[in-house]
Amino acid sequence: MKKIPVLLSLFTVVTLGLAGCGSSQASSSASSSSKNQSKISEDEGIIKTARNLNEDGHYQDSNKALNGIQITDLSKKGFSSLKSEYFQIQKSNDAFLLKQGKKQNQAAANNGSTSLNTNDSFSDYSKFVGDYSFYNYDSNRQQSDLVIDSDGTVVQENNDGTSFHGVATISSTNQSGILSYDVTSGTNDTKSINANVKIDVTWSNGENETYYGYTSYDGGAVLTDGKPYKGDLVNEVWVQ
């Protein structure tokens, strides 16, 4: 029987091994691409639902539908058009909700003891005006989105379709040691921050709440109430 030289045999094994590895990598890449496309299709359906709800005037429900999309996905390859439409719909929803919030604030001020007068305190702190999302989103918790207008009007939208309305004032602070999340990590890792501003909110039910604002490493505005939640978490953190 003819013997196969050892060197040739080893070469054949290595060649076959490399071929198998290449095939495995190609298969893995194809699988990843397929999953990505499936996720895009799923998110396109959510965008369509949110758009229809917005057009029908159901702004809270539209924002609630948008919560079905993971914000981190929108930065991935192939999601750019979805990202653009996502924020266009959210901005439209929030604009209408703010108008509704102003009316409810005025009604509350006219009907009771709680003073909900708008103000110009945010004129020097425009960075902290705008739309915020609840960090570490959890459908089991109430909070979903927070909108602060330049006149201090505040609307908190909740996962159950309800919303809270109030008015905020903002002031400078240099308070340190405030509890927050490391929001640029995408994890539940906590950190202590030095606050740049303090935002005091008076809600229409008369309750008061304080947020501490600062700028994250990626330049976005972040708000935290600095309170612990379930031991090693933070009660409320909002990111623009």
Side-chain angles (χ1 to χ4, degrees):
M1 182 173 66
K2 186 176 180 180
K3 294 183 179 179
I4 300 175
V6 174
L7 226 86
L8 178 58
S9 178
L10 286 174
F11 176 76
T12 303
V13 171
V14 171
T15 302
L16 288 173
L18 289 174
C21 179
S23 175
S24 175
Q25 288 177 345
S27 175
S28 175
S29 177
S31 175
S32 176
S33 177
S34 176
K35 287 181 180 178
N36 205 42
Q37 188 56 50
S38 175
K39 184 60 178 169
I40 290 175
S41 298
E42 179 185 336
D43 287 352
E44 284 175 341
I46 293 174
I47 288 290
K48 182 178 180 180
T49 298
R51 187 193 311 118
N52 291 338
L53 288 167
N54 170 274
E55 292 172 353
D56 291 340
H58 303 300
Y59 308 114
Q60 288 181 344
D61 289 338
S62 179
N63 269 347
K64 190 174 180 180
L66 289 176
N67 285 336
I69 295 177
Q70 294 291 327
I71 295 293
T72 52
D73 286 344
L74 298 178
S75 299
K76 295 178 181 178
K77 184 178 180 181
F79 284 79
S80 58
S81 60
L82 286 175
K83 180 178 182 179
S84 176
E85 189 159 11
Y86 175 98
F87 286 110
Q88 284 176 0
I89 295 171
Q90 186 185 63
K91 186 175 182 179
S92 174
N93 290 334
D94 290 342
F96 282 104
L97 287 168
L98 270 173
K99 289 180 182 179
Q100 294 173 2
K102 290 178 192 296
K103 291 179 181 178
Q104 291 191 28
N105 285 348
Q106 189 59 52
N110 293 336
N111 293 334
S113 58
T114 302
S115 176
L116 293 173
N117 298 319
T118 56
N119 59 84
D120 62 356
S121 65
F122 282 85
S123 60
D124 293 329
Y125 302 96
S126 58
K127 181 177 184 62
F128 293 94
V129 171
D131 307 336
Y132 293 82
S133 296
F134 193 60
Y135 186 78
N136 195 19
Y137 172 79
D138 182 350
S139 59
N140 292 321
R141 297 201 65 190
Q142 188 175 38
Q143 301 90 336
S144 175
D145 299 288
L146 187 75
V147 187
I148 300 178
D149 201 12
S150 57
D151 65 358
T153 300
V154 182
V155 177
Q156 178 184 307
E157 299 158 33
N158 302 316
N159 288 315
D160 60 2
T162 62
S163 59
F164 300 148
H165 306 273
V167 168
T169 57
I170 188 171
S171 59
S172 177
T173 186
N174 58 0
Q175 192 164 339
S176 61
I178 306 293
L179 182 66
S180 185
Y181 285 121
D182 182 0
V183 298
T184 57
S185 70
T187 69
N188 292 339
D189 293 343
T190 59
K191 60 184 290 187
S192 291
I193 60 96
N194 296 324
N196 304 124
V197 297
K198 183 174 75 166
I199 299 176
D200 294 306
V201 181
T202 299
W203 298 106
S204 58
N205 63 0
E207 293 185 1
N208 297 301
E209 194 162 13
T210 297
Y211 296 108
Y212 298 92
Y214 64 99
T215 302
S216 66
Y217 291 131
D218 60 7
V222 183
L223 305 180
T224 176
D225 66 359
K227 299 176 181 177
Y229 175 74
K230 288 188 175 181
D232 58 348
L233 300 175
V234 189
N235 186 46
E236 287 190 32
V237 175
W238 301 87
V239 294
Q240 276 188 335

